[in-house]
Amino acid sequence: VYLAPHSDDVCFSLGAFAHARQAGTLLTVFPRSGYYVLAGPGAPASIEAVSRMRVAEDTRFARACGLRAAYLGFTAAGARGEPPFDTRRAPEVAERIQRPLLAALRGPTIGRAPCAPGARPLLACPAGIGGHVDHAAVRLSIIRHLRLLEPWYRIGFYEDLHYASD
């Protein structure tokens, strides 16, 4: 399972790795976004239009990598009118997302016995080192529930590009 705070995060950070593996789920937590690069006439004019465009791009990426795309439906910091790089808000955002996030992660494991350590699937979580509140909130949600998740997953933290580049 590849956890993506936003559409394109896994593509930028783990694209080659995901493509080589050709299996798994891409779970995007904050697909509602107002962010785009102005490319000229016909650029998206609303959060809904931007979100549709970015989710469509992410879905194409997932398909190319043999991943099942899933979306939780939360709104990204900028689109919810919050400063994206104020990590002091990460605990509040983590509180908001953790119940649906954990349900999405536990859903495929319901009714199964915990896996042997070598057989657990990978849960790739953003490290949140670039200071984006949404990335930090996803990481915090996973860290808060490591004991719950560890019987089901091998948990790894990836460098979330491009935010980690600064």
Side-chain angles (χ1 to χ4, degrees), residues 144-164:
R144 283 179 175 169
H145 297 92
L146 278 175
R147 287 193 177 144
L148 174 72
L149 294 167
E150 283 179 326
W152 306 102
Y153 294 101
R154 289 176 299 125
I155 301 170
F157 295 88
Y158 65 87
E159 183 177 11
D160 25 8
L161 303 173
H162 75 272
Y163 297 116

Side-chain angles (χ1 to χ4, degrees), residues 8-24:
D8 76 18
D9 286 329
V10 167
C11 180
F12 286 152
S13 302
L14 295 172
F17 180 78
H19 189 265
R21 293 182 62 128
Q22 288 290 311

Side-chain angles (χ1 to χ4, degrees), residues 54-76:
R54 294 189 72 195
V55 165
E57 291 169 350
D58 228 28
T59 300
R60 286 192 300 274
F61 162 73
R63 194 174 309 120
C65 293
L67 303 175
R68 180 182 72 83
Y71 303 91
L72 291 185
F74 289 98
T75 301

Side-chain angles (χ1 to χ4, degrees), residues 33-86:
S33 172
Y35 176 78
Y36 66 93
V37 177
L38 185 58
S46 68
I47 289 172
E48 289 73 24
V50 170
S51 299
R52 280 192 303 273
M53 178 184 69
R54 294 189 72 195
V55 165
E57 291 169 350
D58 228 28
T59 300
R60 286 192 300 274
F61 162 73
R63 194 174 309 120
C65 293
L67 303 175
R68 180 182 72 83
Y71 303 91
L72 291 185
F74 289 98
T75 301
R80 42 179 206 266
E82 298 174 7
F85 294 97
D86 182 1

